[in-house]
Amino acid sequence: MYTFSSKLKTFSFILMIVGILGIGYGFLTAPKDIQEVEKILAADAHGSHGAAHEATAEASHTEAGHHETAEASHDSHKGGEHAKVNAADEHTEHLNHVLHQLQNKPWSALYVACIFFLLLSMGVLAFYAIQQVAQAGWSPVLFRVMQGITAYLPVGSVIFFIILVLCGLHFNHIFVWLGEGVTDPKSPNYDAIIAGKSGYLNFPFWIVRAGIFLLGWNLYNYFSRKNCLAQDEANDDLYYKKNFKASAGFLVFFIVSESIMSWDWIMSFDPHWFSTLFGWYVFASFFVSGITTIALVTIYLKSKGYLEFVNTSHIHDLAKFMFGISIFWTYLWFSQFMLIWYANIPEEVTYFITRIQLYNLPFFGAVVMNFVFPLLILINTDFKRLSWIIVMAGIVILLGHYIDFFNMIMPGTVGDKWFIGVSEIASILFFLGLFIFTVFTALTKSPLVAKRNPFIEESKHFSLLIFKEINR
């Protein structure tokens, strides 16, 4: 049985405490009204020489316009006064828009970290189900590690569902389509495109879908673990067969719910845009993150003297999945980008123009972290057997896919008002601490080896079987 070390437990609590404090600081320091926004924008303009120069030029232009207006007729003077009113209204509207963006920032940071760790655990659950259905002989010694990681799923689901409900109750403005009046033709906020999608994008239907997906995933997670533990004490393979059938059914439900989930929880941040590849793209991102987490937790437990039957061949296979799915993610990234960019349809290409112009560093940085780095490091077969290489590559991959989720969500919520600050770092720390505490607590609740799995002996001798195949 695994024992949760006091040092790791203390570390997880420290992460959560620091994270909560940072999240609170992010919400407290967010501007409360447009007057604060005006001060922030004025300070930014004053701190930037280019912005100050532009403001001076604009002021000069305005002054020249005033002189022209003074020399104009009385009717022209009235027109100038009307223009001033319109300009004032536009300025106020702009300030309100920036206010919403800055108020969205701590919410968006919390949302990105929350959905990243939630879907990471889902990636592990999907990988576990695939191993069950494929009747894989190499992986049963890792099943309890996978089940420990998926123990985070119910915790993450509750927090995420609460955030979704708060979005629907207008505690924030991160989902544009949830805004007031966007589907009302009489409202100044009316949006014809969003109104056309209101049969699907409406809060009651949206939150019901979220509840069904989260409940379905958690039910499979609960019963698959229950059956796996029962199999340890059984005299036949009845519970293993139950798990096989449950896993097959879950994968059908998962592939449908995952696609819809990606539209609901991520793509709808940009409700004017869509991509038929998006569901697969999101899946590849959290799937490789989940497999990477399995490798990192396995290596940690192995370093502490646990998982005696796990050998370098198991680690090598996990590293091959990390490498292969990283390439798959890159294929989807390029396919989605290239087709939309080449077609150059305005309502589609604007998605990438926004990210290239405003998020240039994280947008292309994610490609380096999620493709170039894994390719250079993990393409070597010998490197896939070195634990420190896997840990180094794994940390970069996880950070890279957090940045990927950041790129998918932030442009639609905060626009150009982004930076990696206290809110973002604190949100990561909080959910990382909660994840560590939940996962390693779950690992203490059952033996780390699935004793009665029909393929457990094959898994234990995986390295030897490979050696015999090579020398046959």
Side-chain angles (χ1 to χ4, degrees), residues 10 27 34 89 103 135 169 239 256 287 321 342 419 439 442:
T10 302
F27 279 103
I34 60 174
D89 289 342
Q103 288 178 336
Q135 297 184 328
L169 296 176
Y239 291 103
V256 175
F287 192 54
F321 276 108
Y342 184 75
F419 58 90
V439 168

Side-chain angles (χ1 to χ4, degrees), residues 26 92 142 153 165 280 297 319 369 384 387 394 405 428 449 459 463:
T92 302
L142 301 173
L153 186 62
V165 171
W280 285 106
V297 174
M369 298 173 77
K384 294 190 187 79
S387 294
F405 274 83
I428 294 172
V449 178
S459 185
S463 176

Side-chain angles (χ1 to χ4, degrees), residues 382-428:
D382 294 332
F383 284 177
K384 294 190 187 79
R385 296 180 181 273
L386 299 176
S387 294
W388 70 272
I389 292 283
I390 304 302
V391 170
M392 178 180 65
I395 291 172
V396 173
I397 288 172
L398 289 178
L399 288 174
H401 283 285
Y402 167 81
I403 296 296
D404 187 31
F405 274 83
F406 185 91
N407 291 333
M408 286 189 275
I409 293 169
M410 284 292 187
T413 61
V414 303
D416 61 343
K417 306 302 178 195
W418 74 273
F419 58 90
I420 305 292
V422 173
S423 295
E424 288 76 13
I425 295 172
S427 297
I428 294 172

Side-chain angles (χ1 to χ4, degrees), residues 455-472:
F455 296 96
I456 192 65
E457 291 303 318
E458 180 180 343
S459 185
K460 288 178 181 178
H461 301 94
F462 181 53
S463 176
L464 182 61
L465 290 172
I466 291 178
F467 180 77
K468 287 180 179 178
E469 286 293 328
I470 291 174
N471 288 278
R472 180 175 291 177

Side-chain angles (χ1 to χ4, degrees), residues 302-354:
K302 187 72 177 172
S303 70
K304 298 299 179 182
Y306 299 98
L307 301 177
E308 58 180 309
F309 297 110
V310 172
N311 53 55
T312 54
S313 294
H314 296 100
I315 302 298
H316 180 263
D317 271 23
L318 287 172
K320 285 194 290 187
F321 276 108
M322 289 166 61
F323 174 76
I325 306 301
S326 292
I327 301 300
F328 178 58
W329 174 88
T330 310
Y331 160 72
L332 294 172
W333 182 93
F334 179 74
S335 297
Q336 185 172 250
F337 173 76
M338 183 270 293
L339 290 172
I340 292 175
W341 191 262
Y342 184 75
N344 200 26
I345 300 172
E347 58 266 29
E348 292 184 5
V349 77
T350 184
Y351 180 88
F352 288 106
I353 290 175
T354 300

